[in-house]
Amino acid sequence: MVRWSIAAALLSIATPALASAERPLVLAFGDSLTAGYQLEPGLGFAPQLQAMLRRHGIAARVADGGVSGDTSAAGRARLAWTLDGLGEQPDLVIVELGANDMLRSVDPAETERNLDAILAELKRRDIPVLLAGMRVARNADPAYIRQFEAVFPALAAKHRAAFYPFFLDGVAAVEGMTLPDRMHPNFRGVKEIVTRIAGPVKGALGR
């Protein structure tokens, strides 16, 4: 039922009849950080990014492919049906996964395998990618920090994908930018994320 609901929501945003070179389709494929966790409809990452791009003169449609709680393994498992559920091939996929791997202390090698498979499938389908990196809390084991954070730039280079180093740049640990849990961005936090990532998204769309 959950998967059907997500697919229906994606289809409500993008259908083949709407496909146009002038109206590119962007898929935000991630976890709660892109899903607008605890935010009112219209205030999450996908709708705010769509509004920002349109203010910049790009009539993009941004589909919300975020699922709260997803690890890189869960994202890998649902990638194909998420893409097929869109009804058309996206012009760009923003891959934002790994935060839940980090919170669960998943072996960075496993995170790397899952993200590598996701990027390989997107490459196979000839879909451009913007890979968003994730960072680890500074009080974590230094070896884990190095291994985990190295995964993202290495994979971006391997797959020649556009790379945004830290999805929560300007928001993580910044007062007034997160929900009370101090992890998820509030409306202001999402707005800051969108402001900072809009340029790289425009660049990736123009590749």
Side-chain angles (χ1 to χ4, degrees):
M1 179 63 71
V2 173
R3 290 191 173 185
W4 182 89
S5 298
I6 295 167
L10 291 169
L11 285 169
S12 71
I13 295 172
T15 63
L18 293 176
S20 168
E22 286 72 40
R23 303 187 67 237
L25 174 61
V26 178
L27 173 64
F29 187 73
D31 48 38
S32 56
L33 299 179
T34 55
Y37 178 76
Q38 290 193 355
L39 298 178
E40 294 295 323
L43 302 184
F45 176 75
Q48 285 207 51
L49 177 61
Q50 177 172 292
M52 173 69 75
L53 291 173
R54 293 187 176 190
R55 286 196 294 272
H56 287 201
I58 301 174
R61 298 156 291 146
V62 182
D64 181 4
V67 175
S68 294
D70 258 14
T71 59
S72 61
R76 177 182 180 179
R78 68 179 174 90
L79 176 64
W81 66 258
T82 299
L83 291 169
D84 295 341
L86 287 171
E88 64 178 281
Q89 179 157 300
D91 299 280
L92 176 69
V93 174
I94 301 169
V95 176
E96 178 280 305
L97 288 164
N100 289 308
D101 295 52
M102 177 263 294
L103 291 173
R104 300 178 189 187
S105 299
V106 171
D107 186 341
E110 180 179 343
T111 301
E112 183 172 15
R113 283 193 295 272
N114 292 324
L115 291 176
D116 186 40
I118 289 171
L119 296 182
E121 176 62 15
L122 292 170
K123 180 185 288 185
R124 187 187 71 80
R125 295 185 183 223
D126 198 27
I127 301 174
V129 174
L130 173 60
L131 176 63
M134 184 52 57
R135 292 180 181 166
V136 182
R138 297 299 98 178
N139 60 355
D141 176 66
Y144 185 84
I145 293 174
R146 288 194 302 272
Q147 293 168 16
F148 182 86
E149 294 184 356
V151 165
F152 300 90
L155 287 177
K158 175 181 177 180
H159 292 276
R160 298 185 179 180
F163 181 55
Y164 186 69
F166 183 33
F167 187 75
L168 292 173
D169 187 37
V171 172
V174 177
E175 189 70 28
M177 290 291 186
T178 62
L179 297 173
D181 64 12
R182 302 182 65 84
M183 293 189 296
H184 294 91
N186 57 20
F187 170 73
R188 286 184 59 206
V190 174
K191 184 177 181 180
E192 183 66 20
I193 292 169
V194 166
T195 298
R196 291 175 181 242
I197 204 172
V201 170
K202 289 167 60 180
L205 279 170
R207 278 193 167 192

